[in-house]
Amino acid sequence: MLPPETELFQFVEDTARRVFALYNFREIRTPILEDAQLFSRSVGEETDIVSKEMFTWEDKARAQSEKSQQLCLRPENTAGVVRAYIEHKLFDKGALQKLYYIGPQFRRERPQKGRYRQFYQIGAEAIGPPSSGSESPLRDAEIIEMLATLLDAVSLSGWELKVNSVGCAQCRPLYLAALREALEKVANTLCVDCQRRAVSNPLRVLDCKVPGDQATIDALPQIADSLDAGCREHFAQVRAILDGSAIRYRVDPRMVRGLDYYTRTTFEFTHGDLGAQNALLGGGRYDGLSEMLDGPPAPGIGFALGLDRFVLALEAAAASRESQDSPAQSAPGLYIAPFGPGTNVEAIALARQIRSQGISVEVGDESFRLKKSLEAADRLGATFVAILGSNEAQQKNAVVIKDLRSGEQFTVPRDQVATALKERR
Ligand code: HAM
């Protein structure tokens, strides 16, 4: 990743931090290396992530008293956050923990545009004991509403939101039984992966992307028909709060998401400009995950957005506006052109002074001809050029400034350069 693309990454990261702070989320940093078992126990043995995509290796014991361990590069971060929640006894605080993270994740997928082996996620999790209100549909809707706010804040329009409910530990088994029964009749017409999943983990059949399987899968029983009263009411309330905030969404009965820990609400934001890898972000509720990892009951909900895909969508949006200025592109406010022997000293001193006033500055070199400096300033998109000729440098107190937009030239006392630039910006 190179500039100016890295500036778009920073722009999304900075905006996310600002939006998350408004919703009272605080940052957690978890390790990139985790015990591989953490993911087989939470994301699920039969998921694509665990069965095919993890970078895992044996970390040999260094002493006889030690056991070797299967380590991996984390493929996602919800399991790591819940592990930390349990390990650091965050449940003792009694309150809802609202945590966000920004960092790389790793999956051994076939790379293509928008799908990488090392990719970046920004995610957030709201988790806490049931008494903290962590089970409330308000939390689900608040997170989805926060994401709509974030998308607005980065000026990304044209997204679509899909929501679904995948039920809970009580009603899901009934659905799975119905699904298994229906699959028995049609499994032999499906792809090899689905034939295996039909037996080992039938819900995963719904994630299948093989074109020839889609019509058969669409005709399978739908989870909405098996939800118990509690799950149905929870989902109805999530939708009512979203409706109240005028957030557009579509219920997609097949969206069960490719990770096993989900319960009740699942959601995904997609974007048409992303082609095949069109999921901008995904998330959902995971009320049983803490217990799966030997922790206390701690319902939770969260999401992760693909930062790489956000940047692709922003680039596509900027291209379609036929504008070269992306919201994050930064050009120096001032280019200082030292001109003549001995002027470098003055140039760096002036740059230090202007930067301390919050204006970004690029500096040339005293060996440059004036024409070369002006061309460099133009290429960088600088607004002003300060010319430090030997005369001005001798006078010490005055600086000649050229406004590159109008060509106008003016002289200001050295200690007033920043103020003069701010006035004319
Ligand atoms: P996920 O759907 O596996 O969910 O990933 C979330 C997002 O990460 C995707 O929507 C996509 O934008 C991005 N992503 C995934 N794989 C790649 C890849 N190979 N290259 C580029 N981007 C990718 C999770 O990871 C869950 N932990 C989300 C969550 C948090 N659920 C609850 N809390």
Side-chain angles (χ1 to χ4, degrees), residues 76 78 107 109 114 116 121 125 257 261-262 279-280 302-303 306:
E76 63 103 56
T78 308
R107 296 183 193 175
E109 296 193 80
Y116 312 106
Q121 279 188 343
E125 315 291 347
R257 311 251 311 122
Y261 50 61
Y262 288 118
L280 265 182
F303 72 89

Side-chain angles (χ1 to χ4, degrees), residues 77-362:
N77 208 23
T78 308
V81 169
V82 176
R83 180 195 51 68
Y85 174 86
I86 299 166
E87 198 172 314
H88 296 279
K89 298 193 170 46
L90 297 183
F91 44 84
D92 273 355
K93 298 183 193 289
L96 185 72
Q97 300 294 308
K98 292 173 103 175
L99 303 165
Y100 78 86
Y101 48 84
I102 299 180
Q105 318 291 337
F106 304 83
R107 296 183 193 175
R108 194 196 292 112
E109 296 193 80
R110 196 142 34 85
Q112 64 178 92
K113 190 174 179 200
R115 188 169 71 192
Y116 312 106
R117 293 182 158 199
Q118 172 168 339
F119 59 99
Y120 291 80
Q121 279 188 343
I122 299 181
E125 315 291 347
I127 178 171
S131 61
S132 68
S134 54
E135 247 168 327
S136 167
L138 175 144
R139 291 292 152 219
D140 310 41
E142 185 189 40
I143 284 213
I144 294 173
E145 188 274 320
M146 175 171 84
L147 287 164
T149 302
L150 175 60
L151 285 156
D152 277 350
V154 298
S155 303
L156 204 55
S157 54
W159 44 266
E160 198 200 340
L161 165 61
K162 292 182 294 184
V163 298
N164 192 23
S165 173
V166 295
C168 64
Q170 278 71 48
C171 61
R172 181 110 48 93
L174 300 177
Y175 174 63
L176 292 179
L179 190 58
R180 258 203 188 96
E181 198 184 315
L183 277 169
E184 265 171 30
K185 300 189 188 106
V186 294
N188 59 352
T189 67
L190 297 174
C191 69
V192 191
D193 278 344
C194 281
Q195 293 188 19
R196 197 191 67 242
R197 293 174 189 139
V199 182
S200 60
N201 192 345
L203 210 54
R204 296 277 72 87
V205 171
L206 305 187
D207 301 330
C208 172
K209 302 277 181 323
V210 174
D213 289 357
Q214 299 309 305
T216 313
I217 297 174
D218 280 338
L220 291 169
Q222 296 195 344
I223 201 157
D225 300 326
S226 302
L227 295 183
D228 63 20
C231 289
R232 222 172 307 136
E233 175 59 20
H234 193 276
F235 192 37
Q237 285 193 32
V238 173
R239 284 176 296 159
I241 304 173
L242 292 178
D243 291 338
S245 299
I247 300 205
R248 285 169 295 116
Y249 62 86
R250 181 167 69 81
V251 177
D252 178 353
R254 254 185 72 178
M255 201 206 27
V256 292
R257 311 251 311 122
L259 303 93
D260 281 355
Y261 50 61
Y262 288 118
T263 54
R264 295 190 161 174
T265 314
T266 53
F267 58 89
E268 236 166 53
F269 284 71
T270 54
H271 199 284
D273 286 347
L274 288 173
Q277 302 304 319
N278 70 350
L280 265 182
L281 67 91
R285 182 164 273 291
Y286 43 83
D287 291 346
L289 179 53
S290 172
E291 284 122 305
M292 282 159 97
L293 298 173
D294 300 328
I301 174 145
F303 72 89
L305 67 82
L307 189 45
D308 313 79
R309 293 186 192 176
F310 255 61
V311 168
L312 284 175
L314 285 172
E315 283 170 344
S320 71
R321 281 200 305 269
E322 285 180 336
S323 142
Q324 289 308 305
D325 357 298
S326 65
Q329 228 162 44
S330 65
L334 177 69
Y335 185 96
I336 299 179
F339 183 52
T343 50
N344 271 351
V345 177
E346 182 71 1
I348 290 295
L350 181 64
R352 178 173 161 80
Q353 183 198 323
I354 307 293
R355 285 171 179 145
S356 75
Q357 302 291 309
I359 297 174
S360 92
V361 178
E362 186 52 274

